Amino acid sequence: MPKALITGITGQDGSYLAELLLEKGYDVVGMLRRSSTVNFERIDHIQEDIELAQGDLIDGASMVHVLREHEPDEIYNLAAQSFVQTSFGQPVLTGEITALGVTRLLDAVRMVQPEAKFYQASSSEMFGKAVEVPQNEATPFHPRSPYGVAKVYGHWITVNYRESYDMFASSGILFNHESPRRGLEFVTRKITHGVARISRGLQDELRLGNLDAQRDWGYAGDYVEAMWKMLQLDDPKDYVISTGETHSVREFCEVAFAAAGLDWEQYVKVDPRYYRPAEVDLLIGDSSIAAAELGWKPKTTFDELVHMMVEADLDRLPA
């Protein structure tokens, strides 16, 4: 029975990946930081089926200990300070976790479990002010936030360890992927949660930033399968994972409010407080290489994703 270690297991992607690996017969170990307020909501339904280990991307010794104790065959690094807006206010913390944390983990793997296969969660935010549309594996990076910069570091240090130490280390350059488990600080969930509250009469408006920003939004449950497929290859390689479609925040609002029978223009207010200091205007991915070499394609449409999220948020509130 193969064993996988997932950092960030209590997050959106970590919870979906844990479900997938359990279905495939893996022993699953989740690494999480010691905290007085750990949120197990996303993994509560599988908590009896997984093992949890305390470790922190800021503490290299803790990761050495986890690797020695559990000896995983596959390691999925999904932990990060992953909220772009927060990275502007906490750039050093973002760098410590999202950039240098990758190095600490890779070095622990190199020393303790060098035969393990390693997956790094890279991000479309690395493309930032993209020089071409759509973006693929060869598109140059131009990040527009401390988060994007940190992800570029994490991506290239993964390539460096692969080439320097002959490690199986792959990065998935995942474009935006959402779900009902998305955190409330992300714009997609902020919208669907707001729709549900407005529909239930709990609030009367929704304040957002740049409605013209465009993203390639997919379903997280589809994207974790691509992560797993990358580590089943004989040789490590980096892949763009995306839907190949782009939608604006405005369009997300239109579909989300319509799903609850509401007109978005009556409730959405643009608030300059939510604009980023440097905006990423258009991200759209070309995942044709992943389709050809991994046999991966997204299964969930944009409309299906938005409706799924609205329905889940409506179900969370009393009628």
Side-chain angles (χ1 to χ4, degrees), residues 8 23 29 82 107 132 138 145 158 163 200 232 255-257 285 310:
E23 289 171 5
V29 179
S82 58
D107 217 43
E132 62 184 4
S145 66
T158 301
E163 295 178 349
R200 297 288 193 244
Q232 309 318 303
V255 176
F257 276 89
V310 170

Side-chain angles (χ1 to χ4, degrees), residues 33-208:
R33 293 182 297 118
R34 178 174 173 80
S35 171
S36 59
T37 56
V38 177
N39 184 356
F40 294 107
E41 179 185 355
R42 296 183 182 96
I43 59 169
D44 187 60
H45 61 296
I46 56 171
Q47 203 166 332
E48 297 299 317
D49 302 317
I50 62 179
E51 189 171 354
L52 297 175
Q54 287 188 359
D56 197 316
L57 291 183
I58 292 180
D59 183 357
S62 69
M63 290 181 282
V64 167
H65 176 75
V66 170
L67 292 170
R68 282 179 176 161
E69 181 178 355
H70 296 283
E71 300 181 339
D73 303 294
E74 298 174 5
I75 299 156
Y76 297 85
N77 183 36
L78 310 185
Q81 190 304 98
S82 58
F83 186 42
V84 173
Q85 192 69 36
T86 295
S87 77
F88 284 103
Q90 297 181 301
V92 175
L93 176 67
T94 300
E96 280 287 351
I97 299 171
T98 307
L100 291 176
V102 185
T103 311
R104 296 185 188 101
L105 181 52
L106 279 167
D107 217 43
V109 174
R110 178 184 66 83
M111 291 187 290
V112 178
Q113 198 75 357
E115 300 304 313
K117 293 185 173 183
F118 179 88
Y119 172 86
Q120 166 60 15
S122 290
S123 167
S124 61
E125 290 286 332
M126 301 189 306
F127 295 121
K129 192 174 182 179
V131 299
E132 62 184 4
V133 178
Q135 296 89 46
N136 59 38
E137 290 81 358
T139 303
F141 300 137
H142 187 150
R144 297 273 280 173
S145 66
Y147 169 77
V149 172
K151 279 294 185 181
V152 169
Y153 179 99
H155 180 85
W156 281 117
I157 201 67
T158 301
V159 172
N160 184 261
Y161 269 67
R162 178 169 74 213
E163 295 178 349
S164 299
Y165 303 112
D166 197 28
M167 294 170 61
F168 191 110
S170 294
S171 289
I173 307 173
L174 271 58
F175 279 65
N176 293 64
H177 46 289
E178 319 298 319
S179 76
R181 300 179 193 174
R182 195 52 143 158
L184 287 170
E185 67 271 23
F186 291 87
V187 67
T188 51
R189 182 74 196 292
K190 181 179 180 180
I191 293 168
T192 62
H193 180 68
V195 167
R197 286 181 57 81
I198 290 169
S199 179
R200 297 288 193 244
L202 299 174
Q203 68 184 63
D204 54 14
E205 67 177 21
L206 177 63
R207 291 186 171 271
L208 299 171

